[in-house]
Amino acid sequence: MLDYIMCGFIGFVTDINNKQINSISKKFNIYFDKLNERGPDYSEIKKRNYKSKIIQVGFSRLAIQDLKSSSNKIFYNDNSIILFNGEIYNHRELKKKYLSGLKLSSNTDTEVLFNLYQKKDYLILNELRGIFSIVYINLKSEKIHLIRDFTGTKPLYFSSDPNNLFFSSEAWFLYSLSNKELNKESLNYFLNFGFTQEDKTLIQNVNKVKPRHVYEFNFNNNDLNIKNFFSLSKSKSSNLPNRNKSKELIIDTIKKNLITDTKIGTFLSGGVDSTTISLIAKKYNQNIEAFTTFYLPKKKYEKFNIDFEFTQKVAKDFNFKLNVYNVENENKLYEDFLKITEYLDEPVSNLNFLHTYWLTKLAKEKNIKVVLTGDGADELFCGYDRYRSIYLASK
């Protein structure tokens, strides 16, 4: 499952006497303003001098849970600050388990996470169910934790040297501070596999926090300590869930994705993954709308529309409101392609990002902020012939 929740944050820690502080601050402001496209509902900057350091952070919010204005803020106290992008699906259970006696100022998962982290530190991460990138600044211990979720759904970029640490939800701020020197190893990796490494970009010293890891930076010297908070065994196991258990897990996951105070949509292609997710989601939320694409003229692009009849049938049989984005102007297609590449933090070899752009654009017009779609389900459940062939060959 993947839902497009897109808050954004940006920040740096540097020496108070840094002679480049004006240049850094200017670039910070430029790229903080650009984060408004990720989080249009609220934005805020906090700056704090701590001993010999300047700490400055910015946050832009896309409001999903608790839409009241009192939830629009960076959560902090005298000792710590948290920046969070994502959604914690089980935050209510964790609140009941660990914070039952604590009165909170909002119903946001961010405030729950902030208090959980103060109580349990990074040990709480294994209990989180959701998608997240987190920056937790602990003034008392003089350490910063940069964290990404189990699969790396939420982005988190950083760069560092002995005197500075920079981080952001988008890579452009860091690119602007770098020497823009090409990382040839990463380029070679991309040309071979079609995607970049988990912890590197194509630019030297602009890095990514690896999924499932906590990057702990010391304020004073920027020493880095990397901790793995979750790992899967690489050995083959026959202890797989049976059919009923698999169904139970899928339903439970989708239900958790439906916890929101805004409208919800699904990207419905007619395939195995999106259809399964849409039908289960519809069972628990009758107001869900579906989104799909269709190429015109119909006869010319017949092969691109092969799944559309399945999409229509699912929408009709199960009473989905189906929103269709018609792709009919080739010049507009090229314009959109060039427009999207300007926003990509890294090169992408899979052109499905065009469909994602069109459908999210249409969803935004319908005032839908959360969208469910398949991410990895076709590989697991043989949704395409190539995966079915691999499965059969293994038998």
Side-chain angles (χ1 to χ4, degrees), residues 185-196 202 347-349:
E185 178 190 344
S186 293
L187 176 60
N188 183 57
Y189 190 96
F190 173 78
L191 293 175
N192 274 282
F193 299 106
F195 51 88
T196 56
L202 296 188
V348 178
S349 60

Side-chain angles (χ1 to χ4, degrees), residues 100-348:
S100 58
L102 186 64
K103 186 177 181 180
L104 303 182
S105 63
S106 74
N107 294 315
T108 63
D109 50 356
T110 309
E111 187 174 11
V112 171
L113 178 62
F114 181 51
N115 284 278
L116 287 172
Y117 214 91
Q118 291 176 84
K119 190 179 183 74
K120 303 280 288 182
D121 203 63
Y122 74 90
L123 297 176
I124 194 62
L125 297 174
N126 251 324
E127 295 190 53
L128 301 182
R129 298 294 175 264
I131 47 179
F132 50 85
S133 62
I134 302 166
V135 175
Y136 185 80
I137 303 173
N138 190 327
L139 300 176
K140 198 171 183 180
S141 66
E142 301 187 349
K143 290 177 181 177
I144 294 181
H145 284 178
L146 306 183
I147 307 155
R148 278 179 82 197
D149 59 55
F150 307 95
T151 57
T153 302
K154 291 298 168 187
L156 181 47
Y157 297 89
F158 74 94
S159 62
S160 64
D161 58 48
N163 300 308
N164 305 287
L165 172 64
F166 306 97
F167 51 84
S168 182
S169 298
E170 297 184 351
W172 297 102
F173 172 50
L174 310 178
Y175 291 154
S176 74
L177 296 167
S178 74
N179 294 324
K180 300 180 179 62
E181 183 181 347
L182 189 65
N183 185 324
K184 294 179 181 178
E185 178 190 344
S186 293
L187 176 60
N188 183 57
Y189 190 96
F190 173 78
L191 293 175
N192 274 282
F193 299 106
F195 51 88
T196 56
Q197 294 153 291
E198 279 192 321
D199 58 345
K200 293 182 175 65
T201 70
L202 296 188
I203 302 300
Q204 292 279 12
N205 200 34
V206 177
N207 302 304
K208 294 176 284 192
V209 174
K210 290 181 70 173
R212 305 171 296 283
H213 286 75
V214 180
Y215 283 47
E216 182 181 82
F217 287 89
N218 184 294
F219 275 21
N220 296 313
N221 51 26
N222 268 12
D223 277 351
L224 171 61
N225 182 21
I226 300 177
K227 304 171 183 177
N228 186 333
F229 67 83
F230 178 82
S231 61
L232 288 172
S233 172
K234 294 184 179 180
S235 62
K236 289 187 177 182
S237 171
S238 59
N239 298 321
L240 298 173
N242 58 31
R243 181 189 296 265
N244 289 333
K245 183 61 176 177
S246 296
K247 183 177 180 181
E248 181 184 317
L249 289 169
I250 292 169
I251 291 172
D252 183 62
T253 301
I254 292 172
K255 285 173 69 176
K256 282 185 168 64
N257 276 260
L258 299 176
I259 300 172
T260 174
D261 295 322
T262 65
K263 292 170 67 177
I264 299 179
T266 68
F267 289 170
L268 181 58
S269 68
V272 170
D273 56 351
S274 66
T275 301
T276 300
I277 292 164
S278 297
L279 295 186
I280 294 173
K282 179 75 170 177
K283 182 178 178 180
Y284 296 98
N285 186 328
Q286 289 296 312
N287 297 319
I288 281 180
E289 298 182 23
F291 294 83
T292 195
T293 54
F294 187 77
Y295 286 82
L296 293 172
K298 180 178 179 180
K299 190 171 183 180
K300 181 178 179 180
Y301 295 108
E302 189 172 359
K303 68 177 182 178
F304 292 113
N305 298 320
I306 193 167
D307 286 337
F308 186 71
E309 61 182 276
F310 297 107
T311 305
Q312 283 185 309
K313 179 171 174 56
V314 170
K316 181 180 178 182
D317 291 350
F318 295 93
N319 195 30
F320 276 96
K321 180 181 178 181
L322 183 62
N323 301 279
V324 181
Y325 185 92
N326 290 314
V327 185
E328 53 186 326
N329 185 326
E330 289 189 5
N331 289 332
K332 183 69 168 58
L333 188 154
Y334 298 136
E335 288 174 11
D336 286 344
F337 175 83
L338 294 174
K339 181 179 180 179
I340 297 167
T341 56
E342 291 181 359
Y343 289 99
L344 293 175
D345 297 280
E346 301 179 71
V348 178

